Amino acid sequence: MSQFAGFTVDNGAIKDLRDLLFYTLYKDPDLNVTATPVTGVINGQKLGYIDRMGDVGLNKCGCNPTYSNVDITGSEKEWDLGCWQIAKHICYTELENTIAKNSLNKGTDIANLIGTPYMEFLTPLLQKAITDMFWRIVWFGDKEAKNVADSDGGNITKDIDISLFTIADGFFKRLFGIIADNPGQKTAIAANAQTTTALQMSKIREKGVAMGIIDNLLADADGRIFDKPDACIMMTNSLFKALVADVRNTFIGTTLTYEQLAEGVVISQYDGRKIIALDIWDRMIKRFENNGTKLNNPHRAVLCSPSNLFYGTDDTDMIADLSITFNEETRYNNIFAQSKIGTLIGEDDLVQVAI
């Protein structure tokens, strides 16, 4: 188990997994802060929205009016679910020469890790990995994802397994598609176009830049977004930090107040509008969308309502049951889970994206 390679066996300090000091693990915000979960979805199932009736009131008067058909406009979306799978196995021999050896059973039962301190150690790491998986698929998924080194180009960091992303199209893929078709729903962030990561980070912090981006975002948006009670601006932590500094430096003695909802998520307000700053976006962009020279749109903001963003599964629960078993024949400890997932944006008009 490579995660123990940095620890010396019986070094006088660490003799048991329960004594192991964990590196800091980010406690990520609940995904439901940013989107609405839906269970029991059928692949191909339609979600329909009625937008409005066509215009009425023509310049006419008198008898024998001309009748026309009722014109109701709307949109229909279709669920497209992809399958994800977790399949891991562990043999006790991988642990015998590591600090995990003291967590093993003895004799015939040595191979069975279920109920041992090792599993106590593994469980929170597995929970963290599953949490990251949902954030990665729901927000960064792309069925056509490619590595930056591919001949036809891509955004995924070199040597990152593409199958981590091709399960389903995530919200960013869908949002970028919307603004490609409707440029008015895009608010530009010039700092993203810089040629190095260092310049991307320094340019966003220049005076007036962050405030200008958010002011434009609010001004560019469809006013109906603000009619939703849960309307908010979700943004990367990099943009939020720049905004906080910009407000403080522009209006001396004034600062944005904010509340730490959980590690990795901050709730604040700007011009009366709710802000949700999501550090997990920053971490995933740095890890997964880095070409070695610059990051792919490291500063992002989405003005919308989380009730307009859906992620769904055909299962009865969003997180599938996790099966952890010991195989008496192979002597392997097996971890397995499988389910389906997909995303859907309800009304395309009711989003404004800053990139």
Side-chain angles (χ1 to χ4, degrees):
M1 299 292 287
S2 60
Q3 66 261 38
F4 297 120
F7 300 98
T8 304
V9 179
D10 292 336
N11 65 356
I14 301 173
K15 296 179 180 291
D16 192 293
L17 282 176
R18 284 167 292 195
D19 299 327
L20 182 61
L21 297 177
F22 286 86
Y23 288 107
T24 299
L25 293 177
Y26 293 98
K27 184 179 179 182
D28 293 315
D30 191 319
L31 188 57
N32 298 354
V33 171
T34 66
T36 303
V38 184
T39 57
V41 172
I42 299 173
N43 194 42
Q45 182 178 340
K46 305 292 194 299
L47 180 66
Y49 278 89
I50 293 175
D51 184 12
R52 62 186 179 88
M53 181 182 287
D55 296 323
V56 298
L58 302 178
N59 182 15
K60 290 186 177 181
C61 192
C63 300
N64 195 27
T66 300
Y67 288 87
S68 60
N69 293 330
V70 173
D71 180 19
I72 297 178
T73 61
S75 61
E76 186 177 72
K77 301 297 184 68
E78 182 176 311
W79 283 102
D80 182 11
L81 303 180
C83 190
W84 61 264
Q85 187 179 89
I86 298 170
K88 299 286 186 180
H89 65 196
I90 309 162
C91 179
Y92 78 96
T93 57
E94 301 170 36
L95 308 177
E96 282 190 305
N97 295 316
T98 74
I99 61 169
K101 69 177 186 177
N102 293 313
S103 73
L104 301 179
N105 291 319
K106 307 301 180 185
T108 302
D109 289 335
I110 190 172
N112 190 346
L113 302 178
I114 295 176
T116 65
Y118 175 77
M119 280 302 182
E120 295 176 16
F121 163 85
L122 190 65
T123 298
L125 296 180
L126 185 58
Q127 290 172 338
K128 176 64 170 60
I130 292 173
T131 298
D132 283 353
M133 176 193 76
F134 275 93
W135 277 95
R136 186 187 69 243
I137 298 169
V138 168
W139 277 101
F140 293 85
D142 184 350
K143 293 170 69 175
E144 299 177 343
K146 299 180 179 65
N147 289 109
V148 294
D150 287 356
S151 58
D152 52 351
N155 294 321
I156 305 301
T157 306
K158 179 182 178 182
D159 298 330
I160 293 290
D161 188 346
I162 290 300
S163 66
L164 292 171
F165 299 89
T166 54
I167 296 163
D169 286 336
F171 289 131
F172 280 127
K173 172 72 176 292
R174 297 189 184 282
L175 290 167
F176 293 166
I178 289 172
I179 62 177
D181 293 337
N182 302 281
Q185 291 178 250
K186 174 184 175 181
T187 301
I189 299 180
N192 282 335
Q194 297 298 314
T195 56
T196 67
T197 299
L199 283 173
Q200 288 175 318
M201 296 305 164
S202 64
K203 290 295 183 180
I204 198 69
R205 300 189 191 108
E206 291 182 354
K207 187 174 181 179
V209 170
M211 287 176 58
I213 291 167
I214 303 306
D215 286 342
N216 290 337
L217 182 75
L218 293 170
D220 295 343
D222 189 316
R224 292 174 296 169
I225 295 175
F226 305 112
D227 295 335
K228 303 287 187 180
D230 60 340
C232 64
I233 309 170
M234 293 178 272
M235 65 177 66
T236 56
N237 199 37
S238 63
L239 180 54
F240 178 68
K241 287 180 177 178
L243 181 64
V244 170
D246 206 5
V247 169
R248 183 177 61 244
N249 294 333
T250 302
F251 306 103
I252 305 302
T254 301
T255 188
L256 293 182
T257 59
Y258 56 87
E259 173 189 357
Q260 190 84 25
L261 186 62
E263 289 183 45
V265 60
V266 165
I267 305 294
S268 185
Q269 279 199 356
Y270 178 85
D271 196 21
R273 306 300 178 184
K274 181 180 178 180
I275 289 175
I276 303 177
L278 297 161
D279 186 59
I280 192 169
W281 283 3
D282 300 69
R283 285 183 274 124
M284 290 199 165
I285 292 168
K286 288 175 184 176
R287 181 183 176 193
F288 296 128
E289 299 191 9
N290 185 344
N291 70 7
T293 302
K294 58 179 289 188
L295 304 177
N296 179 43
N297 297 316
H299 317 298
R300 306 181 187 188
V302 180
L303 171 59
C304 70
S305 164
S307 60
N308 193 39
L309 306 180
F310 303 93
Y311 68 103
T313 179
D314 61 353
D315 207 343
T316 54
D317 296 302
M318 279 308 307
I319 299 180
D321 291 336
L322 193 67
S323 171
I324 302 178
T325 59
F326 174 67
N327 189 301
E328 293 283 355
E329 183 176 346
T330 66
R331 314 305 285 172
Y332 269 111
N333 299 267
N334 299 314
I335 301 171
F336 184 82
Q338 178 174 294
S339 190
K340 292 184 178 181
I341 194 169
T343 66
L344 190 150
I345 296 176
E347 297 181 77
D348 290 356
D349 291 344
L350 302 188
V351 298
Q352 187 72 27
V353 182
I355 59 167

